[in-house]
């Protein structure tokens, strides 16, 4: 079965950087869309960044120019490089994946989700 396992979260001061990783296993399709979402306490989950099977990327306006999504297609690992972190970036971050027709960053649609990793910026 499909598993997504995040790592790399932690606590950092404002202006610092973190890199999140998400190992994808058990996916039988060679191509899929994947992305990162986040949810802060008391707020709705929001899409942060996505990468399509052709490598094209999209970002939420709030993270453009600061966050970079990438994917190692050989190892099936998804990354989110987060620079110039702000306190408002504090949230639980989740990776998600699915066939591109079933994945949407804006609507938060994906069939497979990781368990989440906490990012705290102070």
């Amino acid at each position: 079965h499909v598993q997504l396992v995040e790592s790399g979260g932690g606590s950092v001061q404002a202006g610092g950087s973190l890199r999140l990783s998400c190992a994808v296993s058990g996916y039988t399709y060679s191509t899929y869309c994947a992305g990162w979402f986040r949810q802060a306490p008391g707020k709705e989950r929001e899409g942060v960044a996505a990468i399509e099977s052709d490598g094209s990327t999209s970002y939420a306006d709030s993270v453009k120019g600061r966050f970079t999504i990438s994917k190692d297609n050989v190892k099936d690992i998804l990354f989110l490089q987060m620079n110039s972190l702000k306190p408002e970036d504090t949230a639980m971050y989740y990776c998600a994946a699915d066939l591109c027709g079933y994945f949407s960053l804006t609507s938060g649609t994906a069939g497979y989700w990781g368990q989440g990793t906490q990012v705290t910026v102070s």
Side-chain angles (χ1 to χ4, degrees):
H1 65 285
V2 179
Q3 278 191 313
L4 285 75
V5 180
E6 301 99 334
S7 60
S11 297
V12 65
Q13 290 188 336
S17 299
L18 283 173
R19 189 173 83 152
L20 305 183
S21 300
C22 174
V24 182
S25 62
Y27 206 81
T28 58
Y29 297 97
S30 59
T31 59
Y32 54 87
C33 286
W36 293 93
F37 298 79
R38 66 186 182 186
Q39 187 167 21
K43 294 188 177 181
E44 292 188 355
R45 184 175 62 197
E46 64 171 337
V48 175
I51 187 165
E52 298 188 14
S53 53
D54 64 358
S56 58
T57 59
S58 56
Y59 297 92
D61 288 343
S62 59
V63 306
K64 279 181 182 177
R66 300 188 299 122
F67 290 11
T68 303
I69 188 171
S70 61
K71 184 171 172 284
D72 184 327
N73 290 316
V74 175
K75 297 182 179 179
D76 272 336
I77 301 176
L78 184 70
F79 300 101
L80 184 68
Q81 178 66 44
M82 305 185 294
N83 299 327
S84 302
L85 282 162
K86 304 175 181 180
E88 50 263 44
D89 294 317
T90 295
M92 185 70 80
Y93 283 71
Y94 301 89
C95 65
D98 208 335
L99 292 175
C100 293
Y102 299 101
F103 181 93
S104 171
L105 187 69
T106 53
S107 65
T109 304
Y112 305 99
W113 294 81
Q115 81 288 350
T117 186
Q118 178 68 38
V119 172
T120 302
V121 185
S122 59

